[in-house]
Amino acid sequence: MSLVTLLPFIVLIGAMFLMTRSAKKKQQAAAAMRNEMQPGTGVRTIGGMYATVKEVGDETVLLEVAPGVHAVYAKNAIGAVLDDAEYNRIVHGDTEEELPAVPDDASSLTEAAAAEAVDTKDGKDAKIDLGKKDEAEDAAEPKDGKDGKADGGADAK
């Protein structure tokens, strides 16, 4: 057999080796993350539910999914262990930075836009109309200086 016929098999075996190696590393990292869980830490399950760890067993975890509501989950059902800041941001809506205030109604937004429009008229800043022309104006203007028909065009129905 020649080297050319064996080369695809060698490449395939090498690719399979690399894929299984990376998958093994991911599994080990996930197991280490799950072993770091302690009572009081916030977690996200693989189903997307956020909860607080109450007890950690060998194969199971007791989670508090709501105040006073506890559920037992398998350890491998934990998708991520979250740090306190991230868990509080997601679950309780806590933010460290000040967000801009959003009005409850849109009236203050329209009043500000109307005041701005008056200011631009007084300041002689003319607004450019970027809207489409009316159909009547568009029909009145011939496109190529003729009667609106393209060169050699006829009314086809």
Side-chain angles (χ1 to χ4, degrees), residues 6 20 27 53 62 79 101 103 107 118 122 127 147:
L6 290 178
T20 57
Q27 286 177 348
V53 177
L62 180 67
S107 64
V118 169
D122 293 341
K127 290 188 177 183
D147 58 351

Side-chain angles (χ1 to χ4, degrees), residues 16-32:
M16 288 175 42
F17 173 74
L18 290 174
M19 284 189 286
T20 57
R21 189 171 141 207
S22 67
K24 227 180 234 187
K25 282 185 178 182
K26 286 180 183 178
Q27 286 177 348
Q28 289 174 347

Side-chain angles (χ1 to χ4, degrees), residues 19 21 26-27 29 34 88 90 92 120 124 130 140 146:
M19 284 189 286
R21 189 171 141 207
K26 286 180 183 178
Q27 286 177 348
R34 289 182 187 115
N88 288 332
I90 294 170
H92 302 295
T120 57
K124 297 180 183 176
L130 298 177
K146 297 179 186 174

Side-chain angles (χ1 to χ4, degrees), residues 29-157:
M33 179 252 329
R34 289 182 187 115
N35 289 333
E36 291 176 4
M37 284 188 300
Q38 298 175 6
T41 57
V43 295
R44 183 183 67 237
T45 65
I46 57 175
M49 183 178 63
Y50 293 92
T52 305
V53 177
K54 288 297 175 185
E55 293 179 16
V56 180
D58 292 335
E59 297 291 321
T60 61
V61 180
L62 180 67
L63 299 178
E64 185 176 31
V65 295
V69 180
H70 297 86
V72 178
Y73 278 79
K75 260 190 178 179
N76 57 2
I78 303 301
V81 176
L82 308 171
D83 60 1
D84 290 337
E86 184 178 7
Y87 180 77
N88 288 332
R89 181 184 61 80
I90 294 170
V91 174
H92 302 295
D94 296 346
T95 57
E96 295 174 5
E97 69 231 17
E98 265 310 302
L99 297 175
V102 178
D104 290 338
D105 60 349
S107 64
S108 63
L109 297 175
T110 56
E111 290 169 3
E116 185 177 310
V118 169
D119 289 343
T120 57
K121 287 181 184 177
D122 293 341
K124 297 180 183 176
D125 290 336
K127 290 188 177 183
I128 300 173
D129 183 22
L130 298 177
K132 289 187 173 182
K133 294 180 182 179
D134 290 340
E135 290 181 16
E137 291 178 13
D138 195 27
E141 292 180 17
K143 294 183 177 139
D144 56 352
K146 297 179 186 174
D147 58 351
K149 296 180 185 172
D151 289 337
D155 289 334
K157 303 240 176 188

